[in-house]
């Protein structure tokens, strides 16, 4: 049971809310629970363990014992005490005082003349609600002979006082036996414990709130019998020797679970087997864990969480396609698909903007269907620094919020690359070579799509420590002059920088051969140069597995 904002809720073990009420609900006993109006003992209802409500009003709980016992609930109706069954019906009998049923007996006081409400008698009701008939050595006792009747304790023992004499009552066979000061087979009834005064003088409350009945045995022995507030015998003291009765201890029911809570600062989180974080610290209280469920309190509200490892959700970005970053920003969508039992209206997705993903919270689109539920957002991705022009993995850790509960960070990977939409070609007709210095013209063309804008770029030339001159002839045509070429391969890179993007590099190999003088066997050779694109070494083909996050 939880109390959240003044609302008491009783939960079933399968996580269902059985009962919610503003009234005080006492714990279940024998499959029944009693509720009272706040701050009072006025009964407002009775509940079965399946959540069924039994309408019952006009009575109060009594003896601070708002529980069913032996299938019966003791209530006070006006000036009388009455018993109620598990259907909320009154049983026969009205009593001027009564105690709950214990071990199938209930001690009660009632009017012997109910019509005139006079002459109080003391009775012991059996499991059927009938008054027990007391007898000893073949002699039956009248009800008006009985001066005191106790409840029956867990050793099936009660105490009855008849005509000043004290008897043990055996709850198994309903027989009486005299109380003596000494435990022996001696049956001298003259030594039986007797009251030396009225019951009111012999049955007194002690300082610890228990009650003691004191009687004399013969001339010098004393017997004292101690009772609890429910009038159940606790002990019998014969002179200086005291015998305590056993009290049945209700075994505490322990609920097994691999879920545990850990505190971090002011809040608690949930973990599997201490190590695997399920939900990060956010709870003010983890009330209990059992099986795969946890009863928690967050922001003053209590609720039941169920961890379903076999239920999955799927995250997709860009409809599951690889992402080609052409520019600094890439507009796309992120979507989460959930089982039908999760309401998409209550789902929110968060990604730290420092990861390079900015979700537009105002674009949320959610839908609940018979096949499954989903939530989708528009988002803008910033191209990662140094993203290569080959397919690689980018991680966007995601946090999911559901009805105020925050998940741990969920690793979510997408495949992306830097798409170089420029094409750089050398105009061979404009290449000139003189004394180891080459001059060439290259054209930069952009493969634009309809939605593309014009983005400013900067062009740089990178060489192997060679001196060069660069001239921008137009947006497309560019001229470069490189001095003092080395024999063999010279590396030149045309680097195009677009604001906010990694540099796009276009490498070229400039193969230069110096002039060769004429020899006897070979004619003279002029210096020559060849400029060609440097091709990448292809990587072995790898199977691309699309990532999917499962919780």
């Amino acid at each position: 049971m939880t109390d959240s904002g003044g609302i008491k809720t009783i939960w079933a073990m399968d996580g269902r809310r059985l009962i919610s009420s503003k009234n005080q609900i006492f714990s279940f006993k024998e499959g029944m629970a009693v509720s009272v109006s706040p701050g009072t003992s006025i009964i407002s209802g009775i509940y079965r363990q399946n959540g069924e409500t039994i309408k019952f009003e006009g009575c109060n709980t009594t003896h601070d014992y708002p529980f069913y016992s032996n299938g019966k609930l003791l209530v006070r109706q006006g000036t009388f005490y009455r018993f109620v069954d598990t259907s909320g019906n009154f049983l026969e009998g009205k009593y001027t005082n009564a105690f709950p049923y214990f071990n199938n007996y209930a001690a009660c006081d009632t009017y012997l003349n109910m019509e005139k409400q006079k002459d109080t008698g003391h009775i012991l009701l059996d499991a059927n609600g009938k008054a027990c008939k007391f007898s000893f050595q073949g002699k039956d006792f009248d009800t008006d002979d009985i001066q005191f009747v106790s409840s029956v304790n867990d050793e099936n023992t009660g105490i009855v006082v008849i005509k000043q004499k004290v008897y043990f009552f055996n709850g198994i066979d309903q027989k009486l036996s005299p109380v003596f000061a000494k435990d022996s087979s001696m049956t001298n009834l003259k030594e039986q414990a007797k009251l030396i005064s009225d019951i009111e003088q012999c049955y007194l409350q002690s300082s610890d709130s228990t009650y003691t009945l004191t009687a004399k045995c013969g001339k010098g022995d004393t017997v004292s019998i101690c009772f609890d507030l429910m009038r159940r015998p606790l002990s019998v003291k014969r002179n200086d020797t005291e015998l305590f009765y056993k009290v049945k201890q209700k075994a505490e029911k322990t609920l097994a679970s691999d879920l545990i809570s850990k505190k971090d600062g002011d809040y608690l989180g949930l973990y599997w087997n201490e190590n695997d974080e399920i939900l990060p610290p956010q709870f003010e209280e983890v009330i209990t864990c059992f099986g795969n469920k946890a009863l928690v309190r967050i922001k003053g509200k209590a609720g039941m969480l169920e961890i379903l490892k076999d239920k999955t959700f799927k995250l997709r970005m860009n409809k599951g396609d690889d992402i080609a970053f052409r520019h600094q920003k890439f507009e796309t969508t992120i979507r989460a698909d959930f089982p039908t039992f999760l309401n998409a209206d209550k789902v929110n997705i968060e990604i730290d903007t420092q990861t390079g993903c900015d979700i537009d919270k105002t674009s949320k689109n959610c839908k609940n269907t018979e096949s499954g539920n989903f939530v989708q957002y528009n988002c803008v991705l910033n191209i990662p620094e140094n993203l290569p022009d080959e397919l690689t993995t980018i991680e966007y850790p995601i946090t999911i919020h559901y009805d105020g509960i925050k998940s741990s960070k969920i690793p979510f990977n997408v495949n992306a690359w830097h798409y170089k939409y420029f094409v750089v070609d050398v105009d061979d007709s404009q290449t000139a070579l003189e004394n180891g210095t080459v001059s060439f013209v290259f054209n930069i063309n952009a493969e634009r799509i309809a939605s593309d804008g014009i983005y400013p770029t900067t062009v740089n030339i990178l060489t192997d420590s060679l001196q060069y001159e660069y001239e921008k002839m137009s947006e497309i045509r560019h001229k470069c002059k490189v001095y003092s070429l080395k024999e063999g391969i010279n590396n030149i890179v045309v680097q195009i920088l677009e604001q906010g993007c990694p540099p796009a590099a276009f490498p070229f190999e400039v193969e230069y051969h110096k002039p060769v003088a004429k020899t006897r066997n070979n004619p003279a050779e002029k210096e020559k140069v060849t400029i060609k694109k440097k091709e990448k070494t292809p990587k072995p083909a790898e199977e691309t597995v699309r990532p999917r996050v499962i919780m």
Side-chain angles (χ1 to χ4, degrees), residues 178-194:
V179 175
F180 293 104
K182 298 185 172 96
D183 250 343
S184 70
S185 58
M186 183 182 66
T187 58
N188 184 359
L189 295 181
K190 292 182 179 181
E191 301 295 325
Q192 182 178 356
K194 298 178 183 178

Side-chain angles (χ1 to χ4, degrees), residues 230-359:
M230 298 297 176
R231 205 179 275 184
R232 290 171 293 192
L234 295 175
S235 65
V236 176
K237 186 176 182 181
R238 295 178 171 96
N239 295 323
D240 295 327
T241 304
E242 190 167 11
L243 170 67
F244 289 90
Y245 290 106
K246 294 178 181 178
V247 177
K248 291 179 184 177
Q249 299 296 327
K250 186 176 179 181
E252 286 289 331
K253 187 175 181 180
T254 57
L255 303 173
S257 176
D258 289 330
L259 280 171
I260 67 164
S261 61
K262 286 185 181 179
K263 193 167 188 178
D264 184 2
D266 294 331
Y267 297 101
L268 293 154
L270 286 175
Y271 299 78
W272 278 117
N273 297 319
E274 296 194 14
N275 297 321
D276 300 332
E277 183 180 88
I278 300 297
L279 294 171
Q282 60 193 293
F283 304 109
E284 295 148 14
E285 183 182 5
V286 176
I287 300 167
T288 186
C289 296
F290 56 95
N292 65 333
K293 301 177 184 68
L295 201 54
V296 302
R297 190 184 308 279
I298 182 170
K299 296 179 181 177
K301 295 182 179 180
M304 182 83 73
L305 297 178
E306 184 176 11
I307 311 300
L308 301 174
K309 282 197 165 186
D310 60 336
K311 302 295 182 182
T312 65
F313 64 85
K314 183 168 69 174
L315 293 169
R316 285 183 293 171
M317 184 178 281
N318 200 40
K319 298 181 179 180
D321 295 331
D322 298 332
I323 295 173
F325 280 95
R326 295 171 60 89
H327 306 291
Q328 180 182 7
K329 297 184 181 297
F330 186 89
E331 295 183 1
T332 185
T333 60
I334 183 169
R335 169 171 166 159
D337 290 83
F338 299 90
T340 55
F341 59 81
L342 291 178
N343 187 342
D345 298 328
K346 297 181 179 181
V347 175
N348 291 289
I349 296 175
E350 285 189 359
I351 300 179
D352 191 338
T353 55
Q354 292 183 352
T355 64
C357 177
D358 187 9
I359 292 179

